[in-house]
mmCIF file with all atom_site columns, all heavy atoms in Angstrom:
data_model
loop_
_atom_site.group_PDB
_atom_site.id
_atom_site.type_symbol
_atom_site.label_atom_id
_atom_site.label_alt_id
_atom_site.label_comp_id
_atom_site.label_asym_id
_atom_site.label_entity_id
_atom_site.label_seq_id
_atom_site.pdbx_PDB_ins_code
_atom_site.Cartn_x
_atom_site.Cartn_y
_atom_site.Cartn_z
_atom_site.occupancy
_atom_site.B_iso_or_equiv
_atom_site.pdbx_formal_charge
_atom_site.auth_seq_id
_atom_site.auth_comp_id
_atom_site.auth_asym_id
_atom_site.auth_atom_id
_atom_site.pdbx_PDB_model_num
ATOM 1  N N   . VAL E 1 18  ? 35.316 191.410 122.914 1.00 78.00 ? 18  VAL E N   1
ATOM 2  C CA  . VAL E 1 18  ? 35.329 192.856 122.720 1.00 78.00 ? 18  VAL E CA  1
ATOM 3  C C   . VAL E 1 18  ? 33.995 193.451 123.154 1.00 78.00 ? 18  VAL E C   1
ATOM 4  O O   . VAL E 1 18  ? 33.940 194.460 123.871 1.00 78.00 ? 18  VAL E O   1
ATOM 5  C CB  . VAL E 1 18  ? 35.603 193.183 121.236 1.00 78.00 ? 18  VAL E CB  1
ATOM 6  C CG1 . VAL E 1 18  ? 35.310 194.646 120.943 1.00 78.00 ? 18  VAL E CG1 1
ATOM 7  C CG2 . VAL E 1 18  ? 37.044 192.858 120.895 1.00 78.00 ? 18  VAL E CG2 1
ATOM 8  N N   . GLU E 1 35  ? 30.537 207.571 141.777 1.00 67.00 ? 35  GLU E N   1
ATOM 9  C CA  . GLU E 1 35  ? 31.191 207.439 143.080 1.00 67.00 ? 35  GLU E CA  1
ATOM 10 C C   . GLU E 1 35  ? 32.236 208.511 143.309 1.00 67.00 ? 35  GLU E C   1
ATOM 11 O O   . GLU E 1 35  ? 32.443 208.985 144.407 1.00 67.00 ? 35  GLU E O   1
ATOM 12 C CB  . GLU E 1 35  ? 31.869 206.073 143.183 1.00 67.00 ? 35  GLU E CB  1
ATOM 13 C CG  . GLU E 1 35  ? 30.948 204.985 143.666 1.00 67.00 ? 35  GLU E CG  1
ATOM 14 C CD  . GLU E 1 35  ? 31.667 203.656 143.659 1.00 67.00 ? 35  GLU E CD  1
ATOM 15 O OE1 . GLU E 1 35  ? 32.835 203.622 144.069 1.00 67.00 ? 35  GLU E OE1 1
ATOM 16 O OE2 . GLU E 1 35  ? 31.052 202.658 143.216 1.00 67.00 ? 35  GLU E OE2 1
ATOM 17 N N   . ILE E 1 168 ? 43.763 162.474 124.210 1.00 89.00 ? 168 ILE E N   1
ATOM 18 C CA  . ILE E 1 168 ? 43.220 161.228 124.754 1.00 89.00 ? 168 ILE E CA  1
ATOM 19 C C   . ILE E 1 168 ? 42.026 160.725 123.940 1.00 89.00 ? 168 ILE E C   1
ATOM 20 O O   . ILE E 1 168 ? 41.964 159.563 123.570 1.00 89.00 ? 168 ILE E O   1
ATOM 21 C CB  . ILE E 1 168 ? 42.787 161.421 126.218 1.00 89.00 ? 168 ILE E CB  1
ATOM 22 C CG1 . ILE E 1 168 ? 44.003 161.767 127.074 1.00 89.00 ? 168 ILE E CG1 1
ATOM 23 C CG2 . ILE E 1 168 ? 42.131 160.154 126.749 1.00 89.00 ? 168 ILE E CG2 1
ATOM 24 C CD1 . ILE E 1 168 ? 43.648 162.091 128.499 1.00 89.00 ? 168 ILE E CD1 1
ATOM 25 N N   . SER E 1 171 ? 37.309 161.472 119.401 1.00 88.00 ? 171 SER E N   1
ATOM 26 C CA  . SER E 1 171 ? 36.259 162.280 118.790 1.00 88.00 ? 171 SER E CA  1
ATOM 27 C C   . SER E 1 171 ? 36.322 163.703 119.342 1.00 88.00 ? 171 SER E C   1
ATOM 28 O O   . SER E 1 171 ? 36.528 163.916 120.537 1.00 88.00 ? 171 SER E O   1
ATOM 29 C CB  . SER E 1 171 ? 34.902 161.642 119.062 1.00 88.00 ? 171 SER E CB  1
ATOM 30 O OG  . SER E 1 171 ? 34.015 162.573 119.608 1.00 88.00 ? 171 SER E OG  1
ATOM 31 N N   . ALA E 1 173 ? 33.980 165.799 119.611 1.00 90.00 ? 173 ALA E N   1
ATOM 32 C CA  . ALA E 1 173 ? 32.847 166.110 120.477 1.00 90.00 ? 173 ALA E CA  1
ATOM 33 C C   . ALA E 1 173 ? 33.126 165.652 121.905 1.00 90.00 ? 173 ALA E C   1
ATOM 34 O O   . ALA E 1 173 ? 32.873 166.375 122.863 1.00 90.00 ? 173 ALA E O   1
ATOM 35 C CB  . ALA E 1 173 ? 31.586 165.443 119.948 1.00 90.00 ? 173 ALA E CB  1
ATOM 36 N N   . LEU E 1 182 ? 34.856 169.421 132.934 1.00 92.00 ? 182 LEU E N   1
ATOM 37 C CA  . LEU E 1 182 ? 35.872 169.759 133.939 1.00 92.00 ? 182 LEU E CA  1
ATOM 38 C C   . LEU E 1 182 ? 35.767 171.223 134.333 1.00 92.00 ? 182 LEU E C   1
ATOM 39 O O   . LEU E 1 182 ? 35.898 171.593 135.506 1.00 92.00 ? 182 LEU E O   1
ATOM 40 C CB  . LEU E 1 182 ? 37.258 169.476 133.368 1.00 92.00 ? 182 LEU E CB  1
ATOM 41 C CG  . LEU E 1 182 ? 38.334 169.276 134.427 1.00 92.00 ? 182 LEU E CG  1
ATOM 42 C CD1 . LEU E 1 182 ? 38.092 167.967 135.143 1.00 92.00 ? 182 LEU E CD1 1
ATOM 43 C CD2 . LEU E 1 182 ? 39.707 169.292 133.803 1.00 92.00 ? 182 LEU E CD2 1
ATOM 44 N N   . ILE E 1 211 ? 28.185 181.311 168.446 1.00 68.00 ? 211 ILE E N   1
ATOM 45 C CA  . ILE E 1 211 ? 28.938 180.423 167.563 1.00 68.00 ? 211 ILE E CA  1
ATOM 46 C C   . ILE E 1 211 ? 30.324 180.248 168.153 1.00 68.00 ? 211 ILE E C   1
ATOM 47 O O   . ILE E 1 211 ? 31.016 181.230 168.463 1.00 68.00 ? 211 ILE E O   1
ATOM 48 C CB  . ILE E 1 211 ? 29.053 181.019 166.150 1.00 68.00 ? 211 ILE E CB  1
ATOM 49 C CG1 . ILE E 1 211 ? 27.656 181.235 165.571 1.00 68.00 ? 211 ILE E CG1 1
ATOM 50 C CG2 . ILE E 1 211 ? 29.855 180.095 165.256 1.00 68.00 ? 211 ILE E CG2 1
ATOM 51 C CD1 . ILE E 1 211 ? 27.653 181.982 164.273 1.00 68.00 ? 211 ILE E CD1 1
ATOM 52 N N   . LEU E 1 216 ? 33.949 177.888 163.932 1.00 77.00 ? 216 LEU E N   1
ATOM 53 C CA  . LEU E 1 216 ? 33.793 178.793 162.796 1.00 77.00 ? 216 LEU E CA  1
ATOM 54 C C   . LEU E 1 216 ? 35.091 178.857 161.987 1.00 77.00 ? 216 LEU E C   1
ATOM 55 O O   . LEU E 1 216 ? 35.096 178.769 160.760 1.00 77.00 ? 216 LEU E O   1
ATOM 56 C CB  . LEU E 1 216 ? 33.406 180.182 163.290 1.00 77.00 ? 216 LEU E CB  1
ATOM 57 C CG  . LEU E 1 216 ? 33.148 181.185 162.180 1.00 77.00 ? 216 LEU E CG  1
ATOM 58 C CD1 . LEU E 1 216 ? 31.939 180.769 161.374 1.00 77.00 ? 216 LEU E CD1 1
ATOM 59 C CD2 . LEU E 1 216 ? 32.952 182.578 162.751 1.00 77.00 ? 216 LEU E CD2 1
ATOM 60 N N   . LEU E 1 243 ? 45.214 193.462 141.540 1.00 79.00 ? 243 LEU E N   1
ATOM 61 C CA  . LEU E 1 243 ? 44.554 194.645 140.986 1.00 79.00 ? 243 LEU E CA  1
ATOM 62 C C   . LEU E 1 243 ? 44.002 195.569 142.066 1.00 79.00 ? 243 LEU E C   1
ATOM 63 O O   . LEU E 1 243 ? 43.700 196.726 141.801 1.00 79.00 ? 243 LEU E O   1
ATOM 64 C CB  . LEU E 1 243 ? 43.427 194.228 140.040 1.00 79.00 ? 243 LEU E CB  1
ATOM 65 C CG  . LEU E 1 243 ? 43.905 193.735 138.677 1.00 79.00 ? 243 LEU E CG  1
ATOM 66 C CD1 . LEU E 1 243 ? 42.727 193.385 137.820 1.00 79.00 ? 243 LEU E CD1 1
ATOM 67 C CD2 . LEU E 1 243 ? 44.774 194.775 137.989 1.00 79.00 ? 243 LEU E CD2 1
ATOM 68 N N   . LEU E 1 259 ? 46.914 190.469 163.674 1.00 61.00 ? 259 LEU E N   1
ATOM 69 C CA  . LEU E 1 259 ? 47.765 191.559 163.172 1.00 61.00 ? 259 LEU E CA  1
ATOM 70 C C   . LEU E 1 259 ? 47.291 192.046 161.815 1.00 61.00 ? 259 LEU E C   1
ATOM 71 O O   . LEU E 1 259 ? 47.256 193.247 161.547 1.00 61.00 ? 259 LEU E O   1
ATOM 72 C CB  . LEU E 1 259 ? 49.209 191.078 163.066 1.00 61.00 ? 259 LEU E CB  1
ATOM 73 C CG  . LEU E 1 259 ? 49.993 191.233 164.361 1.00 61.00 ? 259 LEU E CG  1
ATOM 74 C CD1 . LEU E 1 259 ? 51.389 190.681 164.195 1.00 61.00 ? 259 LEU E CD1 1
ATOM 75 C CD2 . LEU E 1 259 ? 50.021 192.700 164.782 1.00 61.00 ? 259 LEU E CD2 1
ATOM 76 N N   . ASN E 1 269 ? 46.114 202.492 153.647 1.00 63.00 ? 269 ASN E N   1
ATOM 77 C CA  . ASN E 1 269 ? 46.965 202.809 152.499 1.00 63.00 ? 269 ASN E CA  1
ATOM 78 C C   . ASN E 1 269 ? 47.086 201.609 151.575 1.00 63.00 ? 269 ASN E C   1
ATOM 79 O O   . ASN E 1 269 ? 47.070 200.471 152.022 1.00 63.00 ? 269 ASN E O   1
ATOM 80 C CB  . ASN E 1 269 ? 48.370 203.188 152.976 1.00 63.00 ? 269 ASN E CB  1
ATOM 81 C CG  . ASN E 1 269 ? 48.338 204.491 153.700 1.00 63.00 ? 269 ASN E CG  1
ATOM 82 O OD1 . ASN E 1 269 ? 47.551 205.371 153.374 1.00 63.00 ? 269 ASN E OD1 1
ATOM 83 N ND2 . ASN E 1 269 ? 49.179 204.604 154.720 1.00 63.00 ? 269 ASN E ND2 1
#
Side-chain angles (χ1 to χ4, degrees):
Chain E
V18 167
E35 274 177 42
I168 297 175
S171 128
L182 202 70
I211 301 172
L216 183 65
L243 284 181
L259 273 177
N269 291 327

